[in-house]
Amino acid sequence: MAGLSVFVLSLLVGFEVISKVPATLHTPLMSAANSIHGIIVVGAMLIAASADTVLGYVLAFLASAFAAMNVVGGYVVTDRMLRMFRGRR
């Protein structure tokens, strides 16, 4: 039950923090957040290693999937941002 509580609270806090960021700052923040999401992937793996129940496995899988999506999305957004600053050929 504690794992589910932490998961739900982290979803709410994450949504609240990201929804307050202006659109002009969102791209640089996504770029800088890749390392944080990498740490979250490692944490999800640690949770999966210590999971005893089906709920623990499901939460570990969801945490891993969301963190991986954020890492990939951050790199895609960063690449798109960098392409805007390259000269046209």
Side-chain angles (χ1 to χ4, degrees):
M1 195 62 167
L4 182 62
S5 300
V6 170
F7 182 70
V8 170
L9 286 174
S10 65
L11 283 175
L12 294 174
V13 169
F15 178 77
E16 191 65 28
V17 168
I18 294 299
S19 66
K20 304 292 185 209
V21 174
T24 55
L25 293 177
H26 194 9
T27 301
L29 285 177
M30 280 293 288
S31 174
N34 283 333
S35 62
I36 296 170
H37 293 295
I39 294 169
I40 293 171
V41 170
V42 172
M45 285 189 244
L46 291 173
I47 291 172
S50 65
D52 297 353
T53 63
V54 175
L55 179 63
Y57 289 122
V58 170
L59 289 177
F61 173 76
L62 288 175
S64 299
F66 286 138
M69 284 187 281
N70 278 327
V71 168
V72 172
Y75 283 116
V76 169
V77 168
T78 301
D79 183 55
R80 184 175 176 190
M81 179 182 65
L82 291 175
R83 274 192 270 140
M84 289 176 15
F85 293 107
R86 290 186 191 142
R88 294 182 188 232
R89 295 180 184 172

